[in-house]
Amino acid sequence: MNDFNDNKSTGHAEEIDATRTFSEDLVPSDPNALNREEQLAVDSLPFGNALLIVRRGPNKGARFLLDADLISVGRHPNADIFLDDVTVSRKHSEITRAGSVFSIKDLFSLNGTYFQGERVEAAQLFDGAELQVGKYHFTFYASKKSS
């Protein structure tokens, strides 16, 4: 009887471990979590700069440095952030910087500009904010350094 209980408890423990491993495979990791390289890029941003990282859509993983007072976003080849997809207007939106504060403004684009899942005309950005321009989903990361 003792051997039966030992085998049963061992088998049960193995089932729990197998279930735990299986559930970890099913539960996706945070899609917005920064990998080591991205974290180093964010940590090294100079004061007053920011970074947009494509989280979903075309060019997933692409990074765009925001280091100017006015940054154009669109499908036009001369856009500062060139997004080559028909869901993006030629002059879709613009990002402005005033000191270390960034804002996004939609430029009457056909498909709109989304901030935190809501279509907006304009919004002030904050660290970790989610943006969408056409099929491109971005996360905004501001410099953590002070002046």
Side-chain angles (χ1 to χ4, degrees), residues 32-72:
N32 293 329
L34 295 172
N35 64 36
R36 188 175 191 287
E37 185 179 314
E38 291 168 338
Q39 187 63 58
L40 288 171
V42 170
D43 291 345
S44 66
L45 285 170
F47 172 76
N49 290 345
L51 196 63
L52 278 181
I53 300 177
V54 180
R55 290 293 172 204
R56 285 189 298 151
N59 301 336
K60 180 180 177 182
R63 294 179 283 186
F64 298 95
L65 179 63
L66 308 177
D67 62 349
D69 292 336
L70 179 64
I71 299 158
S72 60

Side-chain angles (χ1 to χ4, degrees), residues 10 27 120:
T10 303
V27 177
V120 295

Side-chain angles (χ1 to χ4, degrees), residues 51-121:
L51 196 63
L52 278 181
I53 300 177
V54 180
R55 290 293 172 204
R56 285 189 298 151
N59 301 336
K60 180 180 177 182
R63 294 179 283 186
F64 298 95
L65 179 63
L66 308 177
D67 62 349
D69 292 336
L70 179 64
I71 299 158
S72 60
V73 179
R75 199 177 73 237
H76 192 282
N78 292 339
D80 297 313
I81 298 178
F82 173 59
L83 304 175
D84 191 16
D85 190 87
V86 295
T87 61
V88 178
S89 297
R90 290 172 60 75
K91 295 181 179 179
H92 198 101
S93 57
E94 64 185 14
I95 298 172
T96 56
R97 176 180 67 179
S100 61
V101 177
F102 288 83
S103 299
I104 190 161
K105 178 182 175 185
D106 186 74
L107 299 177
F108 307 104
S109 64
L110 181 62
N111 291 321
T113 299
Y114 291 79
F115 173 76
Q116 300 296 100
E118 301 283 327
R119 189 171 180 161
V120 295
E121 291 181 21

